[in-house]
């Protein structure tokens, strides 16, 4: 029953003919309900999903490898719900010897911090053979994501989209509502990648082999061994995704990126995109030729099928911010009734220069809250935490650090340790509030000999207003500073500003946008730049804040915030326990 | 400190010059003690090991792949102890997202059934980041093994040898005591193999890419892609193992097989081997040109360096019982002072025909307990359980079964479920005592449409004598019956007899060897044949009995025996819990 409801949804999205579209929606964008949607006592419905997670051979880019699937699919089924609904996902772990945890990215988990799905922070991992029941309210309309949050498991393919439709009409109109998930794809297993990152000398996995659009990409099979026979360019599994459009109609594309490493530029040949939503919040609309999107971000754009209808057009994704060696991700923007697999007659558009930060910074600055939907931030903050992003060497291992502290997860999840006052479960010394901003040169390779590893956390006063300044810097390589998309769990934050160079604590706050800052849950800090955020510590729980690049977080690029832990009246669910100090059985 | 003691031991074994041998032993074969061997209150010492288990890139057969290592090594360090000692192994799981469990193969775990290391039977798996402390008495001298016992993890390289020296002089003399571990090696990961076995249609991994002798083999790199660059024939990691011998001296070779799939024939060119020990018990000595050895078995053989000392000789392992496509495993029997890497001047000896069962059956029949060391079996048994070995299809999946029941592990370990009377933790219906031996044709493909999956177990009366008849049969392929090495946990059993064809419950028991049967813990059932075993159900606990071929057990080829569970007075250690119904936390 559950599989059917999922199948219907994505089957509709991927179908060739508009007549076949089960997802036809009114302007409000309310999706078809799962067949088992039952009314809840309060107001929202319960959306019940049952997922079986396992390894299967798939060829998303024509190269056959093991992929983690949900009910046989990667990307997994789209979760569809309405604002205020309760989503219940029962996840069965069929991974044989590997545990899992699934994070509901962008869902704030108000009142359910134990179901954030962050291994080591809010729960123990789910053992093979076990079924874990996630249950949470989707309190905000918008486009969100879900993905594995355990080791580097996400990049094995365990990810998908969450679409929450609003109860109120939306401030823009469209005819059809479609989803696009972007990813980069590596042929090495997560085990191989993790082993390399944990090696002395450090072994970097390199650039992705391909870029996926809705789970489909194209690897050049001639680069693969003919002996092994695991690359097959004619495998229908790697036929490009084709988005059929009816001439004259307007499409809302909900675009999410769950790349492992890459910042992307997304483009539809010959078509302008009007940005209307970011991370679940309405954006004061603006038009782009190409959309820059960072791992963990979602956008909705409106696209009108107003070009020559006698041909198809390329949909492309391209790596930016790293010197790209990966070919573009290609899908087809298919004007009905052309054949959906007919190649566009002109080559894909030229992507922006990978190393030109300016247009990326410009887009970041262009994103403001939509008039009529502005939630104003507090005008002042109670605490400012500056987070210097650096690469380091600790005991011979390559690490990423924040204020020269490389983050490591404890054995006992923070949520349980804090609630039950298990003081030996993690380092009680909080990490630094900042760095030596006077003497530190962010533009050159620094020694950072004082770098350490720790699982200490920031404890925030409940309901206080906190500013976080992300300060980028040079890596351990000359003339190199990377883009880091930082994602905060349990919160949206206001994006108050971006800048180049070193943040000036006296001057820069005066330029903050306090009028119409966008609320987001993921934001980039650009090379050699800074980004300023503000949020209210008003969601009792323990929340990870980290770089959304898998390998960067694995190497220590994250921090943890606690707030209002003692306001959690309820007993923690026993399902989140079973590891570290919570591994105790009294029959 | 611990690493040093391990390092010294195996360093000695692998060294080139006899003068360098730290393991020089007297005739009694007592190995060097670990540096931290401290006297226990009773009599034995405590042998303390600390192991860190993780994935690392290794090239055991020149092909680079991820291997599970212990303290950086695969095979892992040899455990050395004396009869009556207590072995303590603290295992830290650094596998990132994968759990583990380690079984001490051949150690009966008398009084410590919870430390048998069998996931799902005696313990929950050990989570990443956790340290599990195994502690057990090695009550019998002899040669034993250890290996992962979780999913198909063993074949990733987590295995090693246990050598327990006796307190009494041994009934044979030798100058040096050496270890040889045999393995077969696959380039696919355990994940890939398991995914194939669990697929519809069934995807079989095929024959191994190479055979390893002491962790070293040789894959033909020309079969690998030059693009990937992961095969390097000149990598010193895959230089063949060389066993240096001094002309005229006698060597005890302790040979253990931990193959994933293959039955092997082991041979030392130009030298006879005198079999003196099997699975920890002294054998009435007999000589062989080649030793057949099945996964899970150990043998000690005596070899005298009595051939032309001006040259080296091949040590070989070859697949038997399956139509081999894998090249022989090759090591060097190096006569000092020839260079240890000098190739022998003549080609390796021709292996026995893979499909000739006769010599294998003959060796099985030749193995008897040594005069003066015979432990006589009870002359009658209280119960006879016949176990028909078949291949089946259940719900479209390929399975192995016993009496048409394919075994599956429960979420809650049997040991805890039985001790705490958790009746819903597994199927309370016991599996059948036998099969329809009158009507079943073991020589042809059978429909077996009544095959089912179950986690039911056999409950044995404490101290009763149990006979088990392993009955082989045709697989799902015409004219095919495979060799299955069956391993019993918690016990040695007497091997009462072997035969061809269908076991005759009236006639065959009259031919049982009740005079001097060998005690073993692992025994083959030959193609289309039967093997009869007897054991006393006198070790309180829950014990797995299963085919030691990884994929066969994974596909259901096993049963579980319980005996005297209520005699376990002690509270079960909480360290074995944390999964299934034992996942409960009361702070």
């Amino acid at each position: 029953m559950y599989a059917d409801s999922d199948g219907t949804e994505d089957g509709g999205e991927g179908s060739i003919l508009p007549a076949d579209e089960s997802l036809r929606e009114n302007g409000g964008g309310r999706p078809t309900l799962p067949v088992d949607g039952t009314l809840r006592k309060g107001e929202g419905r319960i959306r019940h999903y049952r997922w079986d997670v396992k390894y299967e051979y798939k060829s998303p880019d024509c190269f056959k490898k093991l992929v983690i699937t949900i009910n046989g699919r990667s990307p997994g089924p789209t979760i569809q719900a309405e604002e205020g609904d309760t989503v219940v996902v029962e996840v069965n772990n069929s991974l044989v010897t590997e545990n899992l945890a699934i994070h509901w990215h962008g869902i704030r988990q108000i009142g359910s911090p134990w179901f954030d799905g962050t291994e080591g922070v809010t729960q123990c991992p789910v053992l093979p053979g076990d079924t874990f029941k996630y249950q949470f309210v989707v309190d905000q309309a918008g486009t969100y994501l879900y993905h594995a949050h355990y080791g580097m498991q996400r990049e094995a393919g365990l990810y998908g989209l969450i679409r929450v439709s609003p109860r109120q009409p939306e401030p823009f109109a469209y005819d059809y509502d479609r989803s696009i998930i972007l990813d980069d794809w590596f042929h090495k297993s997560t085990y191989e990648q993790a082993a390399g990152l944990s090696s002395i000398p450090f072994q970097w996995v390199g650039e992705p082999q391909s870029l996926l659009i809705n789970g489909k990409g194209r690897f050049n099979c001639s680069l693969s061994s003919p002996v092994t026979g695991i690359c097959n360019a004619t495998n229908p599994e790697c036929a490009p995704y084709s988005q059929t459009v009816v001439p004259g109609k307007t499409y809302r594309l909900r675009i999410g990126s769950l790349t492992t490493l890459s910042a992307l530029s997304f483009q539809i040949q010959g078509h302008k995109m009007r940005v209307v939503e970011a991370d679940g919040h309405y954006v004061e609309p603006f038009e782009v030729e190409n959309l820059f999107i960072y791992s963990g971000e979602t956008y909705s754009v409106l696209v009108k099928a107003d070009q020559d209808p006698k041909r198809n057009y390329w949909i492309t994704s391209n790596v930016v911010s790293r010197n790209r060696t990966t070919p573009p991700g290609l899908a087809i923007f298919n004007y009905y009734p052309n054949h959906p697999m007919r190649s566009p007659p002109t080559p894909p558009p030229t992507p922006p220069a990978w190393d030109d930060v300016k247009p990326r910074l410009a887009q970041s600055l262009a994103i403001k809250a939509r008039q009529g939907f502005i939630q104003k931030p507090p005008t002042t903050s109670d605490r400012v935490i500056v987070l210097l992003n650096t690469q380091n060497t600790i005991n011979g291992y390559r690490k990423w650090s924040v204020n020269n502290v490389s983050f490591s997860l404890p054995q006992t999840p923070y949520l349980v340790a804090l609630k039950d006052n298990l003081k030996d479960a993690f380092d009680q010394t909080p990490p630094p509030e900042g760095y030596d901003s006077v003497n530190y040169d962010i533009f050159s390779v620094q020694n950072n000999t004082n770098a350490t590893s720790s699982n200490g956390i920031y404890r925030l006063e409940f309901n206080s207003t906190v500013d976080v300044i992300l300060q980028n810097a040079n890596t351990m390589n000359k003339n190199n500073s990377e883009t880091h998309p930082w994602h905060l769990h349990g919160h949206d934050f206001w994006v108050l500003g971006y800048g180049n160079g070193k943040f000036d604590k006296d001057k820069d706050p005066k330029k903050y946008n306090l009028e119409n800052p966008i609320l987001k849950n993921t934001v980039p800090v650009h090379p050699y730049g800074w980004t300023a955020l503000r949020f209210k510590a008003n969601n009792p729980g323990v929340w990870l804040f980290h770089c959304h690049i898998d390998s960067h977080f694995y190497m220590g690029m994250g921090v943890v915030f606690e707030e209002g832990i003692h306001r959690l009246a309820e007993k923690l669910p026993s399902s989140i326990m079973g590891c570290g100090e919570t591994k105790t059985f009294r029959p």
Side-chain angles (χ1 to χ4, degrees), chain A:
Chain A
M1 180 169 73
Y2 304 111
D4 281 345
S5 67
D6 297 340
T8 306
E9 185 269 313
D10 277 20
E13 284 199 294
S15 64
I16 290 167
L17 300 177
D20 190 28
E21 291 176 323
S22 60
L23 262 184
R24 170 87 197 228
E25 291 156 24
N26 56 28
R30 177 167 169 162
T32 309
L33 299 180
V35 293
D36 64 322
T38 49
L39 275 171
R40 238 167 105 244
K41 40 184 186 285
E43 27 178 356
R45 286 167 193 259
I46 292 175
R47 312 290 178 144
H48 202 151
Y49 294 86
R50 280 189 192 145
W51 289 356
D52 188 50
V53 174
K54 64 176 172 181
Y55 275 106
E56 290 183 81
Y57 279 110
K58 296 277 179 190
S59 301
D61 66 349
C62 307
F63 181 93
K64 185 174 161 188
K65 65 164 276 190
L66 276 191
V67 173
I68 299 184
T69 61
I70 298 173
N71 296 346
R73 297 154 63 184
S74 171
T78 297
I79 290 179
Q80 306 221 55
E82 195 179 50
E83 196 180 339
D85 285 353
T86 296
V87 171
V88 179
V89 185
E90 291 183 72
V91 184
N92 182 55
N93 178 357
S94 294
L95 295 175
V96 185
T97 54
E98 188 172 326
N99 308 309
L100 61 73
I102 300 181
H103 171 55
W104 316 94
H105 181 115
I107 307 300
R108 293 175 296 173
Q109 301 290 354
I110 294 167
S112 55
W114 36 80
F115 290 139
D116 190 47
T118 313
E119 187 273 330
V121 179
T122 63
Q123 72 166 98
C124 293
V126 182
L127 295 180
D130 272 359
T131 298
F132 190 95
K133 186 173 166 182
Y134 289 99
Q135 179 162 344
F136 49 87
V137 174
V138 288
D139 64 305
Q140 266 185 175
T143 308
Y144 305 101
L145 305 164
Y146 66 81
H147 58 80
H149 214 302
Y150 185 51
M152 292 172 64
Q153 202 170 56
R154 181 181 98 211
E155 66 185 85
L158 204 175
Y159 65 89
L161 213 70
I162 302 172
R163 295 161 55 139
V164 182
S165 57
R167 293 177 171 273
Q168 303 298 322
E170 293 187 288
F172 43 83
Y174 50 91
D175 300 294
Y176 298 97
D177 191 345
R178 295 291 175 264
S179 304
I180 304 270
I181 312 189
L182 306 176
D183 195 12
D184 49 6
W185 196 246
F186 292 82
H187 292 173
K188 287 207 170 177
S189 70
T190 58
Y191 286 89
E192 292 171 310
Q193 296 196 39
L197 299 178
S198 309
S199 291
I200 298 178
F202 179 71
Q203 290 175 48
W204 174 239
V205 66
E207 298 302 310
Q209 275 65 59
S210 60
L211 298 177
L212 307 186
I213 298 177
N214 279 352
K216 288 153 182 294
R218 180 150 293 249
F219 178 64
N220 180 351
C221 284
S222 70
L223 297 176
S224 156
S225 161
V227 176
T228 51
I230 43 179
C231 200
N232 176 4
T234 64
N235 188 331
E237 276 185 43
C238 56
Y241 175 74
S242 183
Q243 177 57 63
T244 298
V245 295
V246 177
K249 297 293 184 185
T250 296
Y251 289 77
R252 175 185 190 166
L253 300 184
R254 297 172 183 261
I255 307 166
S257 172
L258 276 167
T259 51
T260 291
L261 172 68
S262 311
L264 297 175
S265 165
F266 176 85
Q267 198 160 351
I268 303 173
Q269 187 177 35
H271 293 74
K272 287 229 160 59
M273 297 179 283
R274 189 171 174 81
V275 180
V276 293
E277 182 212 349
D279 293 6
H281 293 276
Y282 297 131
V283 166
E284 184 63 25
F286 63 99
E287 278 196 346
V288 293
E289 294 257 353
N290 64 292
L291 179 76
F292 295 108
I293 183 168
Y294 305 92
S295 182
E297 287 191 323
T298 68
Y299 288 96
S300 283
V301 299
L302 302 182
V303 184
K304 190 165 186 193
D306 57 2
Q307 298 300 304
D308 176 2
K310 295 199 182 61
R311 55 166 287 190
N312 291 338
Y313 298 83
W314 292 112
I315 300 174
T316 66
S317 62
N318 273 283
V319 172
V320 290
S321 159
R322 297 182 62 89
N323 193 349
R324 59 176 161 252
T325 58
T326 311
L330 293 175
I332 297 174
F333 201 64
N334 163 237
Y335 272 68
Y336 183 81
N338 297 295
H339 192 282
M341 287 299 147
R342 189 172 147 201
S343 279
T346 52
T350 305
W354 72 268
D355 54 353
D356 186 3
V357 181
K358 268 186 211 151
R360 304 204 296 271
L361 181 58
Q363 179 186 304
S364 292
L365 290 166
I367 301 169
K368 319 275 190 205
R370 185 172 184 126
Q371 292 301 318
F373 296 87
I374 296 171
Q375 298 175 49
K376 286 220 175 183
T379 51
T380 58
S381 74
D382 302 305
R383 183 171 175 185
V384 179
I385 300 173
V386 181
L387 302 179
L388 176 72
N389 292 207
T390 62
Q391 225 176 27
N392 301 69
T393 302
I394 301 178
N395 299 327
Y397 291 96
R398 182 75 62 95
K399 295 284 181 188
W400 284 95
S401 300
V402 173
N403 295 335
N404 279 326
V405 177
S406 185
F407 177 73
S408 60
L409 284 165
Q411 282 304 103
T412 306
Y414 291 110
L415 185 63
V416 189
L418 286 160
K419 184 81 164 57
D420 292 327
N421 210 22
L422 309 172
K423 296 212 174 197
D424 53 343
F426 65 92
D427 187 351
Q428 298 294 305
T429 311
E433 296 281 302
Y435 71 109
D436 177 3
S437 62
V438 176
N439 297 306
Y440 194 98
D441 179 2
I442 66 160
F443 293 103
S444 67
V445 177
Q446 300 289 295
N447 277 331
N448 292 326
T449 46
N450 59 340
T452 56
S453 285
S454 171
N455 55 25
I457 68 172
Y458 295 96
R459 304 196 65 164
L460 307 179
E461 193 178 336
F462 186 68
N463 258 332
S464 64
T465 300
V466 179
D467 282 7
V468 173
I469 314 299
L470 293 164
Q471 176 63 61
N472 216 334
N474 207 96
T475 65
M476 288 175 62
N477 304 313
K478 274 188 188 169
N479 301 316
N480 178 243
S481 179
E482 301 195 4
T483 303
H484 303 285
W486 281 80
H487 171 61
L488 178 58
H489 293 222
H491 295 273
D492 296 328
F493 47 71
W494 290 277
V495 185
L496 302 186
Y498 297 87
N500 285 316
K502 204 184 280 185
F503 176 77
D504 183 325
K505 70 178 168 40
D506 298 317
K507 290 183 188 159
D508 287 323
K510 291 175 186 149
K511 296 179 248 166
Y512 282 168
N513 173 14
L514 299 174
E515 287 310 306
N516 60 349
I518 189 74
L519 279 161
K520 288 187 106 259
N521 60 61
T522 307
V523 75
V525 58
H526 294 290
Y528 299 114
W530 58 263
T531 302
L533 319 174
R534 180 167 292 177
F535 66 96
K536 286 277 281 185
N538 58 3
N539 189 8
V542 192
W543 308 109
L544 186 62
F545 181 48
H546 64 107
C547 177
H548 211 257
I549 294 175
D550 257 16
S551 52
H552 290 194
F553 176 56
Y554 181 78
M555 293 162 72
M557 200 167 205
V559 300
V560 164
F561 298 120
E562 174 275 328
E563 69 213 42
I565 189 83
H566 298 299
R567 302 175 73 95
L568 296 174
E570 244 180 286
K571 210 171 157 54
L572 299 178
S574 67
S575 63
I576 66 169
M577 310 198 188
C579 59
E581 295 186 35
T582 73
K583 181 183 159 65
T584 307
F585 174 56
R586 301 195 192 136

